[in-house]
Amino acid sequence: MSAKFYAGRVIENRHWTDTLFSLRVEGPRLEFEAGQFVRIGIEPTLVRAFSLVNPPGDPVLEFYGVVVPQGPLSPRLAHLKKGDVLQVASNPAGFLVLSEVPDAETLWLVSTGTGIAPFLSILRTETPWRRFRNVVLVHAVRYARELAYAELITRILQQRPSFRYVTFVSREPTPGSLAGRIPAAIRDGRLEDAAGLALGLRSHVMLCGNPQMLKDATAALAERGMRKHRRRNPGHIAVESFW
Ligand SMILES: Cc1cc2nc3c(=O)[nH]c(=O)nc-3n(C[C@H](O)[C@H](O)[C@H](O)COP(=O)(O)OP(=O)(O)OC[C@H]3O[C@@H](n4cnc5c(N)ncnc54)[C@H](O)[C@@H]3O)c2cc1C
Ligand SMILES: NC(=O)c1ccc[n+]([C@@H]2O[C@H](COP(=O)([O-])OP(=O)(O)OC[C@H]3O[C@@H](n4cnc5c(N)ncnc54)[C@H](OP(=O)(O)O)[C@@H]3O)[C@@H](O)[C@H]2O)c1
């Protein structure tokens, strides 16, 4: 995949915790569909895929990242300051988009860690509210302080009566959040109880983040008769692995 790179200008690097950051970048106008990713870097020779957090049409591009301590790029992105240059590829891509999702009653957007990023873009468009009777955002993190974007999510909850937000915090007891992991809570019904909605063949589930969560959650959903969606063989599950 060869692409042109544009020099974007960092206008903010917000640190949510020591390791979680959001880069806001003024730069090229990119054509993309909510849920897609684009490759970014400091030099065009070291680039990584990042989901766009902003909705299409927004003049400021936003990326949500975690520092992987031994990673070649993410620690450097976390250090970028206002005014620094971020290289942004010209060709967003990816299939974790609503145009690939068949009609369903309930749309479940299920994420671990920074895997929430593409769903924040999707939730800021009109499409999910027009197409689905219910929309559930599920976010699993290790520690409560990693439940980023609470203000944005609260605003959407206030605006959209059909929206539910379910959180998991796996490594400390947290009132208002489920304990443990997503696949176990699919199996024992705790996820449905928390959302107040059934998770079955009238649902479509989009999964994003940790590849092992994608596998384990897909297996738990298969026990309910749900299968991966393919254009030629419609199903109920779409996945995007971050590594
Ligand atoms: C389609 C796609 C979209 C992506 N979108 C995002 C995004 O929006 N935000 C983001 O932070 N990352 C995202 N990633 C991951 C990103 O591309 C990089 O891998 C990540 O920023 C780490 O880069 P690195 O060079 O420091 O380490 P790398 O050499 O790329 O990764 C080293 C290791 O770090 C771990 N790792 C990588 N990414 C993550 C992560 N996000 N959370 C936890 N552990 C991770 C894995 O164990 C991986 O093997 C995406 C990846 C893909 C394929
Ligand atoms: N989060 C941090 O405090 C932190 C700090 C420094 C560096 N990092 C780096 O960031 C990366 C990890 O980041 P992260 O915490 O965002 O991602 P993560 O390890 O994927 O954890 C996010 C959530 O996903 C859960 N999870 C992990 N495996 C799962 C599976 N198989 N099925 C279902 N759920 C699963 C975790 O639960 P469990 O807790 O049960 O695993 C946690 O609730 C690592 O490279 C790490 O070195 C993270």
Side-chain angles (χ1 to χ4, degrees):
M1 185 163 54
S2 74
K4 208 162 95 189
F5 278 84
Y6 297 112
R9 188 68 61 182
V10 174
I11 57 172
E12 187 187 6
N13 192 353
R14 174 174 182 174
H15 283 252
W16 305 88
T17 66
D18 287 354
T19 56
L20 293 171
F21 59 95
S22 290
L23 279 170
R24 284 164 50 77
V25 179
E26 238 169 26
R29 277 254 171 198
L30 293 183
E31 292 285 320
F32 69 98
E33 183 174 347
Q36 289 192 310
F37 62 86
V38 67
R39 288 171 308 135
I40 61 174
I42 296 168
E43 302 103 26
T45 47
L46 175 60
V47 294
R48 293 286 185 265
F50 269 74
S51 302
L52 290 137
V53 173
N54 55 292
D58 196 323
V60 174
L61 304 179
E62 184 165 338
F63 305 101
Y64 177 46
V66 63
V67 175
V68 176
Q70 260 66 56
L73 184 63
S74 55
R76 296 180 64 199
L77 294 178
H79 280 109
L80 288 177
K81 301 259 178 303
K82 189 175 172 182
D84 287 346
V85 166
L86 183 78
Q87 302 289 337
V88 181
S90 58
N91 57 345
F95 295 102
L96 195 73
V97 292
L98 290 183
S99 61
E100 295 287 338
V101 168
D103 287 335
E105 198 169 278
T106 301
L107 176 68
W108 298 76
L109 306 173
V110 178
S111 58
T112 55
T114 52
I116 193 175
F119 300 145
L120 295 172
S121 180
I122 288 172
L123 289 168
R124 287 198 270 176
T125 67
E126 285 303 314
T127 315
W129 318 107
R130 228 181 29 236
R131 286 196 50 204
F132 304 95
R133 187 181 298 173
N134 313 293
V135 179
V136 187
L137 174 66
V138 180
H139 191 201
V141 296
R142 296 176 180 187
Y143 301 103
R145 61 178 178 277
E146 296 167 354
L147 292 170
Y149 287 99
E151 282 161 36
L152 170 64
I153 293 164
T154 303
R155 209 161 52 236
I156 301 172
L157 281 167
Q158 288 163 350
Q159 288 166 355
R160 309 287 187 178
S162 58
F163 182 45
R164 320 281 163 91
Y165 174 49
V166 178
T167 56
F168 286 75
V169 177
S170 52
R171 299 197 186 184
E172 61 187 2
T174 303
S177 290
L178 297 177
R181 288 180 165 184
I182 292 165
I186 293 174
R187 288 201 169 90
D188 65 17
R190 281 185 305 134
L191 180 56
E192 288 173 301
D193 288 348
L197 291 166
L199 175 51
L201 299 182
R202 286 145 77 113
S203 294
H204 193 94
V205 184
M206 299 173 90
L207 300 167
C208 187
N210 183 312
Q212 201 53 53
M213 180 280 280
L214 306 185
K215 267 195 211 138
D216 296 352
T218 300
L221 293 169
E223 292 164 18
R224 293 169 177 251
M226 301 169 80
R227 59 168 186 268
K228 284 216 182 136
H229 176 72
R230 315 240 182 255
R231 283 182 188 166
R232 293 210 182 122
N233 185 13
H236 325 87
I237 306 169
V239 300
E240 183 169 87
S241 176
F242 269 12
W243 67 92

